[in-house]
Amino acid sequence: MRDAGGCRAPQARSLGPLKGRFWAAAAAKEQSYEYGSTRYLLLCGLGGMLSCGLTHTAVVPLDLVKCRMQVDPAKYKGIVLGFGVTVRDDGLRGLARGWAPTFLGYSLQGLFKFGLYEVFKMRYAELLGPEKAYRWRTGLYLAASAGAEFFADVALAPMEAVKVRIQTQPGFAGTLRAAAPRMYREEGPRAFYKGVAPLWLRQIPYTMMKFACFERTVEALYEHVVPKPQSQCTKAEQLAVTFVAGYIAGVFCAVVSHPADSVVSVLNKEKGSSALGVLQRLGFAGVWKGLFARIIMIGTLTALQWFIYDSVKVYFKLPRPPVAQAPKSPKKQK
């Protein structure tokens, strides 16, 4: 079986660390980095940094309008109107407000999200063994991604708080260099982490859906849509499958995480507010404001993130196993 880089899945040098890898069953030629090695995992983290940092920064204008729709729906009544009001008030440069904390925060988040996902997925598969790891693979994806996102959000929270404050509080500060010191001076360290709990509520379900839905969608596309086996697909064709599966996963991610995203936006804008108080004030209808903009943003983001992540693996020739396959039973192997 070949991966999206057109290379065969790696043959383990030692059965110990790959004992539970139910999907890495095929013998393969040597790669530039051994699967599961420290360098392999660091490069996966690098791919996550690029995929999250670049994509979130690219959609800052849409994210800015979405946040303002959530915190001031009377003024920003829709995507198109929101863009118009922003340009009228702040000029074209106003659409880029918050790009620096966005880039820094989501780069750190991507490092932990993708890097630790690979670590947890590998370790959980080892603990379960090949047959259980395949049979319970959806749960494995969910558990691995949840653990990775928990740590990723701790890294993201400070810059997310700065970004929202810059984008939604007029006159507060226009840059990261001005906003972060002022937040620390006025509110102390709590200003950067008061939104971490609702961030977990937003990001952990989002990431669980993102990874589990992506993994299973890739399986389904190769089984029911792509007219030839994965091993016969070119690099471009496999990356196209990655993009489509990422977009499908992104739509589900947006819906699952949007209510918590609305709470985070309002919480980081207002001093002394609490997540429960914001939720009660917004009500059921209020937490869904800006959903369409978020679907467009997150669908595109997720698709591009998986595409960039896979492209980094292709570039560095990282060993990547084929889609999950049921392990052969000992009797059949004999």
Side-chain angles (χ1 to χ4, degrees), residues 32 40 87 107 125 160 163 205 217-219 232 296 300 304:
S32 56
Y40 169 85
V87 172
S107 293
E160 178 73 1
K163 181 207 75 167
T217 301
V218 168
E219 288 183 40
Q232 297 176 14
I296 296 173
T300 306
L304 288 174

Side-chain angles (χ1 to χ4, degrees), residues 198-203 256-265 287:
L199 198 59
W200 282 328
L201 292 176
R202 181 188 83 183
Q203 290 295 133
V256 166
S257 62
H258 189 73
D261 180 67
S262 298
V263 174
V264 170
S265 295
V287 298

Side-chain angles (χ1 to χ4, degrees), residues 139 267 272 289 294 313:
L267 188 65
K289 291 286 185 181
R294 185 168 170 79
K313 285 188 169 183

Side-chain angles (χ1 to χ4, degrees), residues 210-225:
K210 173 179 181 174
F211 282 87
C213 184
F214 172 80
E215 300 269 19
R216 294 310 299 263
T217 301
V218 168
E219 288 183 40
L221 289 174
Y222 278 115
E223 184 176 354
H224 302 293
V225 178

Side-chain angles (χ1 to χ4, degrees), residues 11 23 42 57 59 61 69-70 136-138 148 155-156 173 186 211 223-224 242 267 269-270 277 298 333:
Q11 177 67 36
W23 50 78
L42 287 174
T57 305
V59 297
M69 288 171 61
Q70 290 170 330
W136 300 341
R137 62 191 183 280
T138 301
L156 169 63
E186 293 181 356
F211 282 87
E223 184 176 354
H224 302 293
T242 293
L267 188 65
K269 178 194 174 187
E270 301 175 352
I298 296 301
Q333 287 179 344

